[in-house]
Amino acid sequence: MMIIVFIAIGALVYFAFNANTNRTTSSSNTNYPNFNRTSNANHALDILNERFAKGEIEESEYLKKKATLNQ
């Protein structure tokens, strides 16, 4: 009877570690943000360009923010 308990506990531990491993290795395939400075700056610049094109911000504010992002 005790062997069944040990097998059950072993199975639970195995599946817990296996689920954790699958989650961490597949995280690169999900939509988690990429904390690469270049890609974040490019994304921010895209948003800034869209806001300027829509007329949401003035040219002076656009140029100031663009200079900040390009630093």
Side-chain angles (χ1 to χ4, degrees), residues 9-59:
I9 291 173
L12 288 173
V13 170
Y14 170 76
F15 287 120
F17 281 110
N18 193 22
N20 189 24
T21 303
N22 287 341
R23 200 171 342 130
T24 57
T25 58
S26 65
S27 66
S28 61
N29 297 333
T30 59
N31 290 328
Y32 293 119
N34 182 4
F35 293 108
N36 183 354
R37 174 148 167 75
T38 306
S39 67
N40 284 343
N42 289 339
H43 181 68
L45 191 56
D46 291 341
I47 293 171
L48 183 64
N49 289 336
E50 286 180 26
R51 290 186 63 204
F52 181 64
K54 290 179 183 178
E56 294 176 3
I57 57 175
E58 299 289 325
E59 183 178 6

Side-chain angles (χ1 to χ4, degrees), residues 58-71:
E58 299 289 325
E59 183 178 6
S60 60
E61 185 179 359
Y62 169 77
L63 294 173
K64 182 178 176 183
K65 290 183 181 203
K66 184 176 177 183
T68 302
L69 288 173
N70 288 329
Q71 288 180 351

